Structure formats: C-alpha cells, structure tokens
C-alpha cells in the first residue's frame, strides 16, 4: 500500500503544495495539498502529471564522462578530481573571466544557487548567467532606478483589487500568481470588479475578461504612453500621492503632454474611446496591473516597464491596498548590480553588465566565440537547458563545441547534457531537501522546505553538495576545526555558539558560510541544503523579523530556531511572515524613500515612441510579413522540464497557431505541415487554424524539440530565434520575430 506524502510542485514559480501517493518508491497519484497556505489545494494539469517529470527514461543515475561520442560512468571522486583540475587549469591560465556558471535551480530548487555562486566567486568570477536575465532584466533594472533596488518585484494585490489590468500575461495558462485561474475567474465573474486584458491574441485570459483590447503586437509601449497622456490630459492623476510618494515627475510630465495620443492609438490598432475609458477606470478605481512576457520579451521592454511604473504611480497605485505591492521574502532572488561601479564586470564581447547579479544567456555564445583573451572557456550549467531554452540553438551548439570544459549538473540527460564533457546527476526536487525563493504572495509571506518523498536511484547528490565538493577540492573551503564538527553533531544550539567563535578566528569563514555550514551542520543533518536554511534564518534583516512577529513568531533570540523547527516539522510549508499593508511604501530603498520617476537613460527611447516612428519601425519586411510569437506558455509545456512526451499523448501540443483569414490567404488547411522561416532558420510544423490567433500574428509554444528515446517531439522554437534580436539589456524579443509561412 502506498503512502500520501506532502511536497510541492517544481514545475513553475507558484510551487503549489502537492500530496503525492508513493508506492514502491514511485509517485503514483497526486492531489493538491489543502494545507498549503499559498495554493490551498489548487494544482494544474502539469502538477497533476508530476510523475512524468520524476520518473522517466532520461533520469541520470551516475556521474558521466564524455568518451568519444558517448559517455562512460565514473566515480564521484574521479568526477570531482578531474573537473576541479580542469577548472583550475583554465582559470590559472586564462584568468577568472574564463569561467561562468549558468542556472541556479530553475523553477523549484533554489538552494543550490547559494553554493554554486559561492564557488563561482571563490574562483574569482562574476559571470552568473540565468534565465532571469532573458525575461526580467529590463524590469529589474528599471526597479533599481525607480524603487532603489533591482530585487524589487511588485505584484498586484489581487485579493483587494477592483480592477486588474493585464498586459501581455496569460495567467489562465501560465499562472504567475497563486491559483491564477481561480483568481482571474473570480474577478471576471464579480459584477463589482473588472478584468481588462491587453493581448493581440484571444488568449485564455482575454476570453474570460470583461474587456479585451486586441492590441497590434509590439505596440504596448505606445499604448502605455497614450494611457498616461490621457490620464494627465483629463486631470485624473492622483496629485496627493504624486506629491507625497514620488520624485522628479516634473522632469518627465512633458513627455506625455506634447504627444499625439489619437494618432498613437491608431498605430496600436485600438479604439480611442475604449482606451480612454480603460484609462479612466484605471485612474479612478482601486486598480492594479500585471504585465509579463508579452511585454518583457518585446520591443521597448525596459521602457514599457518604466511606463508601467509611471502609470501606476500617477494613479497612486504602488504600495497601496488593491494596487501593486511589494511582497516579503526569506531571500531576494538576486542582488543589486550597479553597472556604474568599476568593480562590476561587463562581459568582454558584448559589453553587457549584469542585472540582479545575472548576465543574459543571449550573449553567452558570443562571449565564447570572441577572440578576446578573456573569453569564456569553461561553463557549468545547472537547472538550465540552453540548447532548447535560450535564443539561437545553433549559436549555442557552435559555441559549446569551442569550450575547454562544459559540465552539466542535471536530473536528466538533456540536449545540453548530451553535449557536455561531464554530466553530474543530482537528486530531483522529490528526492532532496529544497525550496524556492519565488516570493509572490502578499500580505502573507510563505515558505516551504520540501523533504524527500522518494529515494533516489543510483548515486545522485543533493545539488549543493556538488559545489561543496568542488570547492573543497579546489581549496576554497577554509580549514574547519574538529570542534566545529563535534558541535554540529551535538545540535544547532551548541553549533551556533561554536560557529560564532570560529567566524571570529577564521577570516574566510563568513564569506564561505554555505560551504562551512554544509561541511559541518549539513553532514550532521544529512543535507547541505537544510543546513543552509538554518544559516539563512540566523541572519535575517529587521523587516523579516517584524513580518515574522506579525505572523505569530517570537520577537526574540529564539526566532530563527523556532522558524527552522516549524519549517522542518511542516513540509507543507508555512506562513513565515505577514507584511503590514499600511507600511508597504516603507519597503522602498531610494534615498528619499520615494518612487523616482526620472530615468535619464531611457528618456530618448521613450520620447521616440510616437505614432509616426512606430508605424515606420513596424512596417513589415516583405520577406517576413508575419509576426511570430516565439514561445507561447501553454498548459502543454512546462518550460523544458517535462521529458516524458507521454503526458501530452493524444493532444496537439506543438503547432503553429494561425488566424483563419491568414490561412485562407495562404491557401493553408488545418492540420497540414507548413514551413516557417525567420532570419534564424526554417522549421516544419503542423498548422493549427484558430480564431484565438490575431491576423498577421502566429504563435509556436516554447519548450518543445524534446529529444526523447532518440525521437524529436515538436519544434524547438529557438531554432527560429536569433540571439542578436535583443535589447540593450540582452533580453530577447521573442514576442516579435518577423517570419513567413508557406505550404510544404
Ligand atoms: N503552462 C505553463 N505555465 C508556465 C510556463 C510554462 O512553460 N507552461 N512557464 C513559466 C514561466 S518560466 C514564465 S516566465 C511564465 C510566462 O507567462 P506569460 O508571460 O503569461 O506567458 P506567455 O505565453 O508568453 O503569455 C503572455 C501573453 O502575451 C501575449 N502577447 C504576445 N505578444 C504580445 C504583445 O505584443 N503585446 C501584448 N500586450 N501581449 C502580447 C501572448 O499572446 C500571451 O497571451 O509562465 C510560467 N508558467
Ligand atoms: N523562444 C523562447 N524561448 C524561451 C521562452 C520563450 O517564451 N520563448 N521562455 C523562456 C523562459 S520565460 C524561461 S524561464 C526559460 C527557462 O529555461 P531554463 O532556464 O532552461 O529552465 P527549465 O526549462 O525550466 O529547466 C531547465 C532544466 O532544469 C532541470 N532541472 C529540473 N529540476 C532540477 C533541479 O532540481 N535542479 C537542477 N539543477 N536542475 C533541475 C531540468 O531537467 C531542465 O533540463 O526558457 C526560456 N526560453
Ligand atoms: S505547474 Fe505551477 S500552477 Fe501548476 S501545479 Fe505546478 S506549481 Fe502549481
Ligand atoms: Mo520564465
């Protein structure tokens, strides 16, 4: 008989609570966990199919080393020895800029990041590449300027909002807020609330909305500028809020006054009356805004984020109940990267700086291919599948061949792993102690530390353990006295005291704290990740402790230990804090505590976004008359995480969606094979004719092109994207890829 165990879903940033029935060490049934405060029993079709992620033929069991065109099984000792030796040789001969780490735990397992980034820093490198920097760079960079830190992440206060304006987000499929479909349907059904969706397609979210503005693809910046102009022109702005909570608005106001809003709306192919009504409602209701990849991965990405903040701020909707608010967290997703600080590295070929500590995956191929003496020569990839996930698969294939060392840390034999010199198996999210730092709840702050629910097969390690072993072998971990090991074995209380003493005598201790913890307490606890959790809780900021006290935790020296115990006793996750909704503005980290409305670096681009120039820029190239949305996130993909294609059996998971009028003009029929061509390449794919598509706009889902059992499943959309089709922060414009479609 099986046993129900509590865990969480590792397939998207919501990390819903799950209960899984485990029988003979296999997950055989799944249900939503009602005791998880965040998801309250909700789960989607991906979570329901989690067994296909956990149990599939591609799972890795042993460390592997490339031998000829195949792999040979090796021991962990040999793997760590050889990789450490090669890393050392590369870094000694070419300097620390020759080494990069890519990844950080993906959607469900972030504890490895602390260890991997410590190893990176220990070798002297700052080159951390991650998926965050191919979607959010512009947004986080803007937040650094407007809110004071790049780690700010504003979210709509969905529970209290009266009007949710959605731009380029398809929450009905992609979630991105807890229990998104339930919440969106609640708003849509409530006669006193409004859901307004701006999307070129009749997306699943647009379908249920009170109002859908079917915008011309790529014109959202123009629309946002129009909305701000309309609000100011009509005097609908919140002057009291502007005076109390913003600075430098007078320096940007004129950008919206001397501006032909009527002409601009025509370019967006929308109705001026409707846009005016939406602007009025947004300015006068308890409104909030949610925008996502439709904007982030599009033209004028950063300026759109900037405009979104201006729109919210002039309506007084930031840091206010029912508006856009700042959630709390145990750990922010990354640090603030100040590109003007001479200590901050810029990549040598592209010149790009990091945002939130991470570099854009779009630039990695050229950072490897450049002839610069400091070019990249060694890369560790973990929790990332660049060969399918990032723009320009061909460029990656070429570049990776040129590396001296490519190591992939994985649960499965991915397309990237298959190209690597070494493949290191880790325990999956269901075989290890782990958790995520995706914090998108308000006012409650939740955290879940998952515990293993199945036994690993073979010899995979907890991911953090791999970096600890490499660091140890490379001499990065400071010497640890026997007394600290003994204290760890005696329990956390004696360990805490011994650790303090050790840190006073060993200067390298604090810097390398994840390794010190992992080697001592981690060993005693049987999990380096668990020891890191304990360590994180010892060193929390005042705001965290205040939030914790509001959630009922003791406001004294026992706090860290109490939260640690509660988390370990409650694998379903708990509320570790509660924000004070009346003090959300105090979270701001600008010098004057106000929202900074003036970003000089973006003003020229913003000022140039007007009807005439946009019309010109959008005029299609006759060779590529259609716009491809390269990477729809649908219920049939979970990034590249689902390796077993069984879970979409009997469905049409990877098609090219096209409007009936376009299909008719091209004499194409539903179900037939077509060829799609972009500047990057050409692919054959099944056509799906649907009135959810917009005329002139076609879409292919993200995440396919899976090679499983030597067979390819669906089209890898990144064979159709060029990594040079990106903005100044390195963000790809996957939502605006010019293309043509032909019958085969
Ligand atoms: N089912 C499922 N859910 C997922 C994922 C998954 O793979 N599958 N992945 C997760 C991840 S990592 C992420 S980042 C999120 C992404 O979540 P979303 O951002 O919601 O995903 P997209 O499918 O890109 O949807 C954005 C919407 O933008 C619209 N759009 C396209 N072009 C434009 C435009 O020019 N203007 C406007 N206004 N809209 C436009 C699209 O039609 C689409 O409806 O999803 C997460 N959730
Ligand atoms: N053209 C196009 N490309 C896109 C998108 C698009 O819309 N269009 N969407 C983009 C978006 S928003 C994102 S976020 C990226 C995501 O792309 P990636 O960053 O590559 O992330 P995933 O596909 O989620 O997962 C990558 C790998 O993590 C491994 N993995 C699973 N569990 C663990 C674990 O516990 N630890 C570790 N270390 N590894 C694990 C999986 O086996 C998988 O191979 O894709 C992007 N790619
Ligand atoms: S995929 Fe996301 S929304 Fe679906 S069950 Fe998993 S965490 Fe929840
Ligand atoms: Mo993403």
């Amino acid at each position: 008989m099986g046993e129900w165990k509590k865990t969480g879903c590792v397939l998207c940033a919501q990390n819903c609570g799950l209960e899984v029935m485990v029988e003979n060490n296999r997950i055989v049934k799944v249900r939503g966990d009602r005791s998880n405060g965040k998801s309250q029993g909700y789960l989607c079709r991906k979570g329901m199919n989690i067994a296909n992620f956990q149990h599939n033929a591609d799972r890795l069991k042993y460390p592997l080393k490339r031998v000829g065109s195949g792999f040979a099984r090796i021991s962990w000792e040999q793997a760590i020895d050889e990789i450490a030796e090669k890393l050392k040789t590369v870094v000694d001969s070419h300097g620390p800029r020759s080494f990069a780490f890519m990844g950080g735990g993906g959607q469900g397992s972030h504890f490895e990041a602390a260890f991997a980034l410590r190893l990176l820093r220990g070798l002297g490198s700052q080159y951390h590449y991650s998926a965050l920097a191919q979607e959010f760079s512009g947004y986080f960079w803007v937040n650094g300027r407007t809110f004071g830190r790049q780690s700010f992440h504003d979210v709509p206060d969905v529970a209290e909002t009266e009007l949710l304006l959605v731009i380029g987000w398809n929450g009905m499929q992609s979630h991105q807020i807890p229990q998104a479909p339930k919440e969106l349907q609640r708003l849509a059904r409530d006669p006193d609330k409004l859901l307004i969706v701006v999307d070129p397609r009749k997306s699943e979210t647009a379908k249920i909305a009170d109002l859908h503005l079917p915008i011309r693809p790529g014109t959202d910046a123009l629309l946002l500028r129009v909305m701000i102009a309309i609000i100011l022109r009509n005097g609908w702005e919140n002057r009291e809020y502007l005076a109390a909570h913003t600075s430098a608005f007078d320096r940007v106001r004129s950008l919206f006054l001397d501006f032909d809003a009527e002409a601009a709306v025509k370019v967006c192919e929308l109705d001026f009356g409707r846009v005016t009504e939406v602007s009025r409602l947004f300015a006068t209701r308890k409104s909030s805004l949610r925008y996502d990849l439709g904007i982030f991965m599009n033209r004028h990405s950063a300026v759109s984020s900037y405009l979104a903040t201006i729109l919210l701020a002039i309506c007084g909707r930031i840091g206010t109940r029912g508006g856009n608010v700042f959630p709390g967290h145990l750990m922010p997703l990354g640090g603030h990267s100040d590109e003007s600080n001479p200590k901050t590295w810029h990549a040598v070929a592209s010149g790009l700086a990091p945002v939130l500590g991470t570099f854009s995956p779009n630039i990695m191929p050229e950072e490897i291919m450049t002839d610069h003496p400091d070019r990249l020569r060694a890369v560790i990839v973990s929790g990332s599948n660049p060969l399918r996930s990032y723009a320009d698969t061909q460029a990656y294939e070429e570049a990776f061949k040129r590396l001296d060392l490519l190591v992939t840390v994985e649960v499965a034999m991915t397309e990237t792993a298959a190209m690597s010199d070494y493949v290191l198996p880790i325990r999956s999210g269901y075989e290890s102690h782990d958790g995520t730092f995706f914090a998108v709840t308000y006012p409650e702050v939740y955290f879940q530390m998952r515990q293993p629910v199945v036994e690993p097969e073979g010899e995979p390690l907890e991911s953090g353990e791999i970096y600890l072993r490499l660091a140890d072998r490379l001499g990065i971990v400071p010497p640890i006295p026997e007394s600290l090991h003994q204290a760890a074995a005696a329990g956390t209380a004696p360990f805490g005291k011994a650790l303090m003493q050790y840190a006073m005598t060993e200067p390298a201790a604090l810097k390398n704290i994840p390794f010190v913890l992992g080697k001592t307490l981690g060993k005693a606890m049987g999990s380096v990740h668990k020891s890191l959790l304990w360590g994180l809780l010892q060193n929390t900021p005042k705001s965290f402790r205040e939030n914790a006290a509001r959630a009922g935790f003791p406001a004294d020296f026992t706090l860290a230990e109490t939260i640690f115990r509660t988390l370990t006793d409650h694998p379903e996750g708990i509320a570790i804090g509660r924000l004070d909704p009346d003090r959300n503005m105090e979270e701001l980290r600008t010098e004057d505590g106000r929202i900074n409305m003036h970003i000089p670096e973006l003003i020229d681009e913003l000022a140039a976004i007007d009807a005439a120039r946009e019309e010109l820029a959008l005029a299609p190239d006759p060779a590529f008359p259609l716009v491809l949305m390269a990477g729809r996130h649908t219920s049939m993909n979970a990034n590249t995480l689902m390796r077993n294609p069984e879970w979409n059996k009997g469905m049409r998971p990877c098609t090219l969606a096209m409007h009936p009028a376009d299909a008719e003009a091209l004499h194409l029929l539903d179900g037939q094979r077509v060829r799609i061509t972009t500047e990057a390449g050409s692919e054959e794919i099944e056509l799906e004719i649907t009135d959810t598509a917009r005329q002139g706009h076609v879409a292919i889902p993200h995440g396919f092109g899976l090679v499983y059992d030597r067979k390819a499943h669906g089209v890898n959309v990144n064979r159709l994207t060029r990594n040079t089709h990106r903005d100044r922060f390195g963000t790809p414009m996957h939502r605006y890829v010019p293309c043509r479609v032909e019958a085969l």
Side-chain angles (χ1 to χ4, degrees), residues 90-216:
V90 169
V91 172
D92 284 354
S93 334
H94 304 286
R97 282 179 177 265
S98 56
F99 171 52
F101 170 73
M102 169 178 272
Q107 303 286 321
S109 305
H110 294 161
F111 274 62
E112 70 162 56
F115 296 90
L117 296 183
R118 205 45 249 153
L119 175 70
L120 185 77
R121 289 294 180 144
L123 284 169
S125 174
Q126 295 182 13
Y127 288 143
H128 175 209
Y129 287 75
S130 91
L132 285 176
Q134 51 89 58
E135 41 188 336
F136 297 127
S137 290
Y139 168 71
F140 284 135
W141 184 87
V142 164
N143 289 352
R145 293 308 174 90
T146 52
F147 304 144
R149 287 280 180 287
Q150 289 166 356
S151 52
F152 272 87
H153 191 166
D154 62 316
V155 298
D157 178 9
V158 177
E160 295 282 324
T161 203
E162 285 174 6
L163 184 161
L164 179 62
L165 175 63
V166 164
I167 312 184
W169 170 50
N170 189 13
M172 287 299 288
Q173 296 273 292
S174 68
H175 297 88
Q176 303 282 70
I177 60 168
Q179 310 177 49
K182 260 174 72 183
E183 291 296 302
L184 288 165
Q185 271 156 343
R186 179 180 60 77
L187 286 173
R189 286 197 194 114
D190 188 332
D192 298 326
K193 302 206 163 154
L194 283 170
L195 175 67
I196 301 177
V197 173
V198 180
D199 198 307
R201 299 185 311 122
K202 209 181 291 160
S203 70
E204 289 77 359
T205 311
K207 269 187 201 158
I208 66 156
D210 294 289
L211 187 66
H212 172 208
L213 299 182
I215 193 171
R216 176 177 180 183

Side-chain angles (χ1 to χ4, degrees), residues 304-523:
S304 296
S305 294
Y306 180 28
L307 287 166
T309 301
I310 296 177
L311 173 67
L312 283 160
I314 62 167
C315 300
R317 302 311 306 151
I318 296 175
T320 350
R321 280 242 94 166
N324 280 40
V325 290
F326 305 118
H329 41 63
L330 172 57
M331 265 267 286
L333 273 181
H336 182 83
S337 305
D338 176 1
E339 72 272 16
S340 65
N341 183 334
K343 287 191 182 147
T344 304
W345 283 9
H346 290 233
V348 294
S350 62
L352 251 71
V355 177
L356 202 78
T358 98
F359 286 83
S360 169
N362 276 311
I363 64 168
M364 185 178 267
E366 71 213 54
E367 299 298 332
I368 296 170
M369 297 309 281
T370 175
D371 288 332
H372 195 288
D374 289 344
R375 71 180 187 85
L376 283 182
R377 292 164 198 268
V379 177
I380 298 184
V381 174
S382 180
S384 243
N385 189 5
L387 251 60
R388 252 166 69 210
S389 297
Y390 302 143
D392 221 327
T393 305
Q394 295 90 325
Y396 261 105
E397 285 168 341
E398 279 306 301
F400 276 180
K401 279 186 213 149
R402 197 186 181 204
L403 288 174
D404 295 355
L405 178 68
L406 176 61
V407 179
T408 295
V409 177
E410 255 296 347
V411 296
M413 183 53 89
T414 61
E415 294 71 15
T416 305
M419 270 201 85
S420 305
D421 301 305
Y422 293 88
V423 181
L424 303 180
I426 52 168
R427 298 180 181 207
S428 77
Y430 300 97
E431 298 158 353
S432 48
H433 294 269
D434 220 321
T436 84
F437 300 109
F438 287 130
V440 283
T441 54
Y442 172 94
E444 258 71 34
V445 185
Y446 292 104
F447 193 79
Q448 178 181 25
M449 191 67 184
R450 296 188 312 270
Q451 297 175 7
V453 292
V454 289
E455 288 292 322
E457 282 181 46
E459 297 174 355
L461 294 179
E462 226 180 22
S463 43
E465 174 85 31
I466 293 180
Y467 305 100
L468 169 58
R469 289 192 189 185
L470 281 171
D472 216 6
R473 181 69 181 64
L474 284 159
I476 293 169
V477 185
I480 292 171
E482 190 45 40
S483 56
L484 198 58
H485 289 290
Q486 282 164 2
T492 48
F495 178 75
K497 282 194 200 112
L499 183 65
M500 276 211 287
Q501 275 166 359
Y502 169 64
M504 282 190 292
T505 56
E506 173 50 63
L510 285 182
K511 208 166 66 178
N512 287 295
I513 199 74
F515 295 146
V516 171
L517 288 167
K519 234 183 136 172
T520 54
L521 195 60
K523 202 164 166 211

Side-chain angles (χ1 to χ4, degrees), residues 11-13 44 46 107 134-136 166-171 173-176 198-201 203-204 215-220 291-295 297-298 629 631-640 697 702 735-736:
L11 297 183
C12 95
C44 75
K46 289 172 288 159
Q107 303 286 321
Q134 51 89 58
E135 41 188 336
F136 297 127
V166 164
I167 312 184
W169 170 50
N170 189 13
Q173 296 273 292
S174 68
H175 297 88
Q176 303 282 70
V198 180
D199 198 307
R201 299 185 311 122
S203 70
E204 289 77 359
I215 193 171
R216 176 177 180 183
T219 60
D220 299 273
Y291 51 110
D292 213 315
L293 298 189
I295 278 204
M297 287 186 173
N298 216 323
M629 167 179 177
R632 197 156 58 94
H633 292 237
T634 85
S635 64
M636 285 175 276
N637 63 38
N639 290 346
T640 68
H697 189 241
H702 151 61
R735 297 296 170 267
Y736 202 90

Side-chain angles (χ1 to χ4, degrees), residues 606-627:
L606 200 173
I609 300 172
D610 60 19
R613 277 173 280 199
E614 285 294 275
E615 191 62 71
L616 206 62
L618 292 161
D621 173 346
F624 299 118
L626 301 170
V627 172

